């Protein structure tokens, strides 16, 4: 056993779940820190107390707090609450030992936290404004609107903050410079309940003298076309709300707020819509419109704005990170299709857009059609259904023009380009760049196996599908006329998501909307649900609606934050108590509509719900799972009566399930892959030997199916875990490494760079599945990564927040080594194993203040090893 001598420090100090704690909604934010390295020569280090130093912004002495506690994650704010706009500087240190020796960290770096506007009054009279000249058409795309305000500042600025949001999407500029790095702000929420505002530090953009703030607003999700129900789903007017607070060095404050003194006009963007794309005409640019000294031309029609009565009550500070441009994707190839079209291949399917740097004659009209795949060598637009994903850029002839769209995004790998000015600009990776956007979450998990490049590729594809769909809302896909927050997809993938990224703020925000949209316990099938479609979407659905119980639980396991469990508890309870339509025994109403084992590979392309396992059977099994889980949630929250009540209810339902669906000999009504996985995973058999026998039948079934997957949404995310639980990991390795359709690696073999909606979105011939839902970027089937992390990599939390975790790699298939890391709330775990002739060798790094249970494969493993923090190497004999 080797010991690390690396330095021991606090890695960062965080507030609630914010990546950047500027403009947060919590007046008393909980504080966390993670450990970096290991205390010198001390194993099993746990914290016994901590110190926090808090320095308030306005001159007072630092306050120092010492607290006897082993908690290092989400500890209470020890000082008085922050007021609106107030900031504080915080540092932390940690004391502890292992019972024999002591070690402490030095003080951490100083971290800044700043409250946003915590109530309506803090907006200091700012009101929503709209454009007087805006003409409303129910079916026509509106032109994005420019809002501007010129104002004078007598002195140099010492500190300035811009608080801003829109009904629509905004992009702001001050004195000609872009404010912040957010795109598609304020993102998509259930706007009637919650509208996020952003806070930007804009000190450096302002100066003494004349200043201008300019904001452009597009339709976005708020007023654009979303789902099948047309446009203007949340409102008919694009509106802006902004408050600029400026302080000079003597602390004298000035504010600039939205009111009717702002003017509005139109610029170069002619249209911009989420599904359909953007039309940008450089000839119509209002040069310098957000800079001092701007003089509008006669035909540019700047007119006053109108104050609207829109309520400020729904305003909320963000919980999760904003959407940003996170990566660039380089152009790989310029292709000429059989019909002579020019097509760009980025080599990677992703969500985002193109950046162009192009010079061409005035009036050059470039169109960009974005698609995921080619069919017969041409761009395949059919899977997009009615979404156009087409950007049009018209050049002014005024030299090199740089363009990116503002209020749209696309899911694509290929772009057909028409009208490119080849004579003046080469079409290559210098003139065209792919920009990938998504909620900018912190990456927490990684997996790699040097012995299996194909498994790495699958893992990479899974990550790309997550990135493409975590867009403020967990969308099903980023390309077709859908891109909705389907709750069922989120249910199947949340464990995987929580490993790959710190999703805590992301879920916290979205779950608030899920909760506030519930009616009589039933959450809509997609959240946010367009208000006009809400009634139709309020369908009680197993797996989909069950996400109100399962996701908070999954998040609790990865973060240890009981607050999310607590704030979601009533909503989870109301789903079980009131939402589920039942028959007398408490099981699901038999004729309730269900998606069930959606996209079972045996279902015909045009009927994805026609699964081989009955939807009622699936629904009953899940009902027991979520009822029992709710009991466990209640226990975690110390609601003892509820814990007992739901526990007992789950047991009664289990008996009802057995009566309804199992036979005396232990067989079940649906002896399919999903039909066997669910009762095994949810412990629904009356006798242990029936479960053992069912596991054996599942193994046989899978073998008879040549190790091809036979599950849809309900079974896919559970099958690997179930097989492992019954000692059948080898069977799942064979499924995972199957390359024939339907299987995960079939897709990889077909050149996939993301995970597909259907096992056969592309058929072996290269033609596309004829079904009308054929996406190449759905994250749901990527839930297999939670098995890869937990079984191949061997990492799984045992206690909430990974305070205690298991390291149990189970080698199999062609995998001879694997390296897995996870950034827990306490620090980074890494587990790296390899087969060394007849030995299995495992290196593990256990972060301070945590405990690992290590279980080795092989012959001479003896009892499990339980270790505290430290750096270890373990070996076992495997042959
Ligand atoms: C979506 C799915 C979703 C489903 C509901 C589809 O159109 O893309 O992922 O869960 O509808 O069954």
């Amino acid at each position: 056993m080797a010991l690390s001598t690396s330095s021991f420090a606090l890695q960062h100090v965080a507030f609630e779940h914010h990546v950047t704690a500027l403009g947060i909604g919590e007046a008393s934010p909980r504080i966390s820190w993670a450990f970096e390295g290991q205390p010198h020569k001390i194993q099993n280090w746990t914290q016994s107390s901590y110190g926090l130093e808090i320095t308030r912004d306005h001159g007072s002495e630092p306050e120092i707090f010492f607290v006897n506690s082993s908690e290092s994650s989400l500890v209470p704010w020890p000082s008085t609450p922050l007021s609106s706009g107030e900031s504080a500087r915080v540092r932390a240190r940690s004391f502890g030992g292992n019972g024999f020796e002591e070690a402490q960290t030095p003080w951490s770096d100083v971290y800044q936290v700043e409250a946003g506007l915590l109530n309506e009054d803090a907006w200091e009279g700012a009101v929503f404004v709209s454009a007087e000249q805006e003409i409303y058409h129910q079916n026509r795309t509106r032109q994005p609107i420019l809002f501007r305000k010129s104002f004078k500042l007598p002195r140099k600025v010492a500190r300035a903050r811009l608080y801003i949001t829109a009904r629509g999407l905004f992009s702001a500029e001050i004195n000609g410079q872009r404010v912040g790095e957010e795109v598609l702000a304020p993102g998509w929420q259930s706007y009637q309940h919650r509208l996020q505002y952003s806070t930007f530090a804009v000190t450096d953009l302002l100066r003494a003298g004349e200043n201008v703030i300019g904001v452009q607003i597009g339709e976005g999700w708020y007023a654009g076309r979303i789902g099948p129900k047309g446009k203007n789903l949340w409102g008919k007017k694009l509106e802006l709300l902004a408050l600029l607070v400026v302080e000079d060095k003597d602390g004298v404050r000035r504010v600039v707020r939205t009111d009717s003194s702002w003017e509005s006009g139109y610029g170069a963007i002619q249209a911009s819509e989420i599904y359909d794309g953007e039309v940008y005409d450089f000839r119509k640019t209002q040069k310098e419109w957000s800079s001092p000294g701007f003089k509008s031309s006669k035909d540019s029609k700047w007119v006053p704005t109108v104050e609207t009565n829109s309520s400020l009550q729904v305003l909320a500070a963000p919980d999760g990170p904003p959407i940003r441009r996170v990566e660039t994707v380089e152009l790989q190839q310029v292709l000429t299709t059989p019909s002579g079209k020019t097509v760009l291949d980025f080599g990677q399917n992703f969500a985002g857009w193109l950046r162009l740097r192009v010079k061409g004659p005035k009036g050059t009209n470039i169109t960009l059609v974005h698609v995921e795949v080619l069919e017969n060598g041409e761009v395949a637009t059919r899977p997009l259904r009615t979404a156009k994903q087409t950007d049009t850029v018209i050049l002014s002839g005024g030299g090199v023009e740089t363009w990116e769209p503002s209020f749209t995004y696309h899911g694509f790998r290929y772009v057909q380009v028409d009208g490119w000015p080849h004579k003046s600009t080469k079409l290559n990776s210098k003139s065209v760049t792919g920009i990938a956007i998504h909620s900018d979450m912190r990456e927490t998990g990684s997996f790699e196996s040097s012995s299996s490049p194909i498994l790495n590729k699958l893992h990479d594809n899974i990550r790309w599908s997550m990135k493409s769909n975590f867009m403020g809302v967990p969308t099903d896909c980023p390309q077709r006329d859908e891109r909705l927050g389907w709750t069922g997809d989120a249910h199947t993938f949340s464990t995987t998501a929580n490993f790959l990224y710190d999703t805590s703020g992301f879920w916290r925000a979205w779950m608030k909307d899920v909760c506030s949209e519930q009616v009589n316990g039933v959450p809509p099938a997609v959240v946010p649900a367009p208000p006009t479609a809400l009634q139709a979407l309020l369908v009680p659905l197993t797996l989909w609606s069950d996400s109100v119980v399962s996701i908070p639980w999954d998040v609790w396991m990865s973060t240890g934050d009981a607050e999310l469990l607590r704030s979601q508890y009533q909503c989870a309870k109301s789903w079980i108590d009131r939402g589920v339509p039942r028959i007398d025994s408490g099981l699901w109403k038999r004729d309730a509509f269900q998606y069930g084992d959606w996209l079972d590979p045996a279902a015909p392309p045009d009927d994805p719900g026609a699964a081989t396992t009955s939807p009622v059977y699936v629904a009953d099994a899940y009902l027991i799972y979520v009822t029992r889980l709710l009991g466990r949630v209640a226990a975690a929250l110390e609601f003892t009566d509820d814990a007992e009540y739901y526990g007992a209810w789950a047991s009664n339902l289990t008996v009802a399930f057995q009566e309804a669906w199992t036979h005396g000999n232990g067989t079940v009504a649906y002896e399919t892959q999903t039909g066997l996985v669910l009762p095994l995973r949810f412990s629904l058999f009356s006798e242990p030997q029936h479960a053992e026998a069912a596991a054996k039948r599942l193994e046989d079934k899978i073998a008879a199916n040549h190790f091809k997957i036979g599950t849809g949404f309900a079974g896919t995310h559970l099958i690997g875990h179930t097989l492992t639980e019954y000692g059948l990991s080898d069977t799942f390795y064979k499924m995972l490494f199957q390359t024939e359709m339907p299987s995960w690696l079939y897709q990889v073999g077909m050149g996939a760079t993301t995970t597909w909606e259907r096992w056969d979105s592309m058929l072996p011939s290269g033609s596309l599945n004829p079904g009308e839902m054929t996406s190449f970027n759905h994250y749901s089937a990527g839930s297999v990564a939670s098995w890869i992390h937990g079984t191949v990599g061997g990492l799984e939390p045992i206690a909430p927040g990974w305070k205690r975790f298991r390291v149990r790699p189970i080698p199999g298939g062609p995998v001879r080594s694997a390296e897995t890391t996870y950034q827990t709330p306490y620090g980074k775990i890494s587990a790296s194993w390899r087969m060394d002739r007849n030995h299995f060798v495992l290196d593990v790094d256990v972060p301070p203040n945590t405990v690992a249970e290590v279980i080795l494969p092989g012959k001479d493993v003896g009892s499990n090893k339980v270790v505290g923090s430290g750096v270890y190497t373990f070996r076992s004999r495997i042959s």
Side-chain angles (χ1 to χ4, degrees):
M1 270 185 213
L3 274 176
S4 153
T5 53
S6 62
S7 67
F8 178 43
L10 299 190
Q11 200 177 42
H12 56 241
V13 175
F15 303 92
E16 293 292 331
H17 298 289
H18 302 289
V19 180
T20 314
L22 174 67
I24 66 171
E26 298 86 358
S28 300
R30 293 169 299 164
I31 306 172
S32 310
W33 50 90
F35 299 93
E36 194 167 41
Q38 301 281 349
H40 187 59
K41 290 190 179 162
I42 300 184
Q43 282 184 335
N44 305 324
W45 187 94
T46 53
Q47 181 185 289
S48 51
S49 66
Y50 62 83
L52 285 170
E53 184 194 83
I54 300 193
T55 312
R56 308 301 276 239
D57 212 20
H58 288 293
S60 54
E61 288 294 300
E63 300 170 284
I64 299 190
F65 304 87
F66 287 103
V67 181
N68 284 329
S69 165
S70 60
E71 296 297 331
S72 53
S73 178
L74 299 162
V75 306
W77 177 257
S79 182
T80 49
L82 296 166
S83 55
S84 282
E86 192 189 357
S87 67
R89 278 160 291 140
V90 179
R91 53 184 195 151
R93 70 187 307 182
S94 201
F95 305 86
N98 61 2
F100 306 104
E101 283 172 283
E102 310 256 297
Q104 64 195 48
T105 70
W107 281 107
S108 68
D109 290 342
V110 173
Y111 290 80
Q112 180 105 3
V113 55
E114 184 173 315
L117 303 182
L118 300 174
N119 51 47
E120 280 181 59
D121 290 345
W123 284 88
E124 301 193 45
V127 290
F128 277 99
V129 292
S130 70
E132 192 179 63
Q133 60 196 334
E134 192 192 346
I135 302 164
Y136 158 74
H137 289 287
Q138 179 53 33
N139 297 315
R140 205 182 303 156
T141 307
R142 239 171 320 213
Q143 185 169 5
I145 301 169
L146 307 179
F147 292 86
R148 74 187 296 280
K149 167 83 183 169
S150 153
F151 56 96
K152 289 215 166 59
L153 294 174
R155 302 181 64 180
K156 198 164 173 287
V157 173
R159 180 185 194 265
R161 296 287 181 265
L162 175 65
Y163 304 96
I164 182 169
T165 190
R167 293 192 150 90
L169 297 177
F170 72 83
S171 109
E173 296 173 17
I174 291 180
N175 297 332
Q177 291 194 53
R178 183 110 167 43
V179 174
E181 293 170 347
E182 301 187 9
V183 297
L184 305 181
W188 191 10
Q189 293 100 50
S190 300
Y191 300 119
Q192 69 278 37
H193 300 290
R194 196 172 65 90
L195 173 61
Q196 283 182 186
Y197 65 88
S198 305
T199 303
F200 297 106
V202 294
T203 319
D204 295 343
L205 301 181
L206 295 161
R207 55 199 174 206
E210 195 201 346
N211 290 270
V212 175
I213 173 164
V215 185
Q216 177 153 223
I217 300 197
E219 295 187 328
W221 294 280
Y222 181 81
R225 178 165 79 93
I226 287 298
K229 295 279 177 188
K231 294 175 66 74
N232 301 296
L233 299 172
W234 278 270
K236 293 176 178 163
K237 274 201 172 95
L238 305 184
E239 297 180 32
L240 166 68
L241 175 75
L243 175 72
L244 178 68
V245 181
V246 179
E247 273 176 38
D248 64 21
K249 68 174 185 353
D250 299 326
V252 179
R253 291 176 92 247
R254 287 191 174 71
V255 300
V256 177
R257 53 174 84 84
T258 39
D259 58 23
S260 59
S261 69
W262 289 53
E263 348 170 66
S264 68
Y266 291 109
I269 307 182
Q270 305 303 298
S272 200
E273 270 203 308
I274 299 283
Y275 290 160
D276 291 336
E278 176 160 317
V279 180
Y280 192 99
D281 189 342
F282 273 102
R283 296 168 307 182
K284 306 256 170 75
T285 306
Q286 300 243 13
K287 283 222 169 63
E288 315 272 301
W289 69 280
S290 65
S291 299
F294 170 74
K295 298 252 173 329
S296 56
S297 65
K298 269 205 202 98
D299 55 349
S300 69
K301 291 197 232 126
W302 285 90
V303 297
T305 51
V306 185
E307 297 181 9
T308 69
N309 291 327
S310 297
S311 164
L312 270 57
Q313 256 175 18
V314 291
L315 296 176
D319 291 298
I323 304 172
R324 294 201 182 100
R325 300 171 181 89
V326 183
E327 278 168 75
T328 53
V329 183
E330 203 172 320
L331 174 64
Q332 301 296 311
Q333 279 190 78
V334 180
L335 312 168
T336 303
T337 71
S339 72
K341 297 284 187 193
T342 302
V343 170
L344 310 176
D345 176 4
F346 287 84
Q348 176 63 55
N349 199 6
F350 65 101
W353 52 65
L354 296 191
R355 179 189 293 151
L356 305 185
R357 274 173 232 86
V358 53
K359 184 175 162 189
K362 184 171 183 179
T364 303
N365 189 317
I366 304 168
T367 56
L368 308 165
V369 180
H370 303 72
V371 300
E372 295 187 288
V373 287
L374 303 179
E375 192 173 25
N376 303 321
E378 304 288 344
V379 290
T381 52
R382 185 181 58 84
L384 306 177
R385 302 198 302 220
T386 69
K388 296 198 184 72
Q389 290 216 120
T390 300
D391 294 334
T392 303
V393 182
I394 303 162
L395 304 182
S396 73
V400 176
E401 295 176 302
T402 302
W403 168 88
E404 277 180 49
S406 295
F407 306 120
T408 186
Y409 73 98
H410 315 299
F412 68 103
R413 167 177 168 169
Y414 299 96
V415 182
Q416 179 176 304
V417 184
D418 290 300
W420 188 263
H422 292 283
K423 283 196 188 131
S424 32
T425 310
K426 281 208 181 94
L427 183 56
N428 58 24
S429 58
K430 289 208 174 72
S431 52
V432 183
T433 311
I435 308 284
I437 64 159
H438 55 88
S439 288
D440 195 4
M441 303 161 293
R442 192 166 56 103
E443 206 169 305
T444 45
S446 72
F447 170 85
E448 201 167 338
S449 167
S450 52
S451 57
S452 183
I454 194 166
L455 191 59
N456 296 340
K457 179 65 184 157
L458 172 67
H459 193 263
D460 205 41
N461 291 359
I462 291 168
R463 192 188 285 282
W464 270 109
S465 278
M466 173 169 174
K467 291 193 283 193
S468 310
N469 284 300
F470 275 54
M471 213 56 87
V473 162
T475 61
D476 56 338
C477 55
Q479 74 302 87
R480 67 173 177 237
D481 55 356
E482 194 155 351
R483 315 185 193 185
L484 302 171
W486 285 97
T487 52
D489 304 43
H491 179 158
T492 61
F493 192 73
S494 61
T495 322
T496 299
N498 300 348
F499 190 90
L500 294 175
Y501 288 88
D502 176 357
T503 50
S504 48
F506 177 91
W507 291 124
R508 193 182 195 189
W510 185 67
M511 288 308 297
K512 277 185 185 168
D513 288 349
V514 175
C515 203
S516 51
E517 297 232 29
Q518 268 177 268
V519 176
N520 293 328
V522 180
V526 301
V527 177
T532 46
L534 181 64
Q535 274 315 317
L537 288 164
L538 285 172
V539 185
L541 295 164
T542 195
L543 185 68
W544 275 255
S545 312
D546 291 337
S547 57
V548 300
V549 187
S550 69
I551 294 177
W553 175 270
D554 291 346
V555 178
W556 184 56
M557 284 309 285
S558 60
T559 63
D561 185 4
E563 208 34 58
L564 185 82
L565 278 188
R566 198 182 316 278
S567 59
Q568 296 294 320
Y569 185 65
Q570 288 306 327
C571 292
K573 213 167 125 64
S574 73
W575 162 239
I576 300 295
D577 291 350
R578 291 188 287 146
V580 181
R582 299 168 188 267
I583 54 174
D584 288 347
S585 64
L587 294 175
W588 267 86
K589 197 159 170 272
R590 286 5 221 163
D591 58 356
F593 172 81
Q594 299 286 3
Y595 291 122
D597 200 20
W598 183 249
L599 285 169
D600 175 331
D606 59 351
D607 194 0
T612 48
T613 313
S614 138
V616 198
Y617 175 92
V618 169
D620 285 346
Y622 267 92
L623 179 58
I624 299 164
Y625 160 66
V626 283
T627 308
R628 191 174 296 123
L629 194 61
L630 185 59
R632 293 175 70 191
V633 173
L637 296 172
E638 295 175 10
F639 301 149
T640 328
D641 292 350
D642 277 10
E644 255 173 53
Y645 173 76
Y646 291 110
W649 198 3
S651 303
N652 293 340
L653 289 171
T654 306
V655 174
F657 179 92
Q658 287 157 357
E659 278 165 14
W661 300 111
T662 62
H663 309 124
N665 62 0
T667 58
V668 294
Y670 291 90
E671 293 268 318
T672 57
Q673 287 189 19
T674 297
L676 289 162
V677 163
L678 300 186
L680 284 169
R681 185 69 180 162
F682 300 152
S683 311
L684 304 183
F685 289 101
S686 56
E687 315 293 333
Q689 65 273 24
H690 286 171
E692 290 297 334
K696 176 79 185 86
R697 294 199 303 283
L698 175 61
E699 182 190 11
D700 294 345
K701 262 212 162 327
I702 293 168
N705 199 35
H706 308 289
F707 300 94
K708 292 179 189 169
I709 190 81
T711 53
F713 264 44
T716 301
H717 67 121
L718 302 175
I719 190 165
H721 297 295
T722 310
L723 288 166
T724 294
E725 198 178 322
Y726 284 87
L728 300 170
S729 298
D730 279 346
T731 301
F732 195 64
Y733 267 108
K734 289 187 185 138
M735 296 183 88
L736 184 60
F737 280 91
Q738 168 60 267
T739 52
E740 276 173 34
M741 191 181 80
S743 69
W744 286 276
L745 293 189
Y746 163 73
Q747 306 182 359
V748 178
M750 290 298 286
T753 59
T754 39
T755 46
W756 298 351
E757 177 171 29
R758 296 174 182 268
W759 296 108
D760 57 354
S761 283
M762 184 180 281
L763 303 169
S765 63
S767 62
L768 306 192
N769 187 299
E772 69 143 24
M773 287 170 5
T774 305
S775 147
F776 291 85
N777 206 350
H778 256 59
Y779 59 70
S780 179
S783 57
V784 69
S786 87
W787 186 85
I788 297 175
H789 304 144
T791 305
V792 186
L795 296 185
E796 214 165 32
I798 301 174
W802 296 76
K803 182 88 179 140
R804 194 178 180 94
F805 59 92
R806 192 164 61 198
V807 187
R808 187 194 56 179
I810 302 178
V815 185
R816 311 282 303 163
S817 64
E819 191 175 316
T820 313
T821 67
Y822 181 70
Q823 180 68 44
T824 74
Y826 303 93
K828 190 173 181 177
I829 307 174
S830 81
S832 172
W833 63 261
R834 61 195 179 277
M835 308 279 224
D836 188 4
R837 273 177 259 139
N838 43 14
H839 278 88
F840 180 88
V841 185
L842 170 67
D843 295 322
V844 186
D845 200 340
V846 180
N849 221 15
T850 64
V851 173
E853 291 180 15
V854 182
I855 303 168
L856 298 176
K859 304 209 158 152
D860 53 354
V861 288
S863 58
N864 304 345
K865 296 171 179 65
V866 177
V867 293
S869 68
V871 177
Y872 306 91
T873 298
F874 301 97
R875 280 167 190 278
S876 64
R877 206 157 52 85
I878 40 177
S879 60

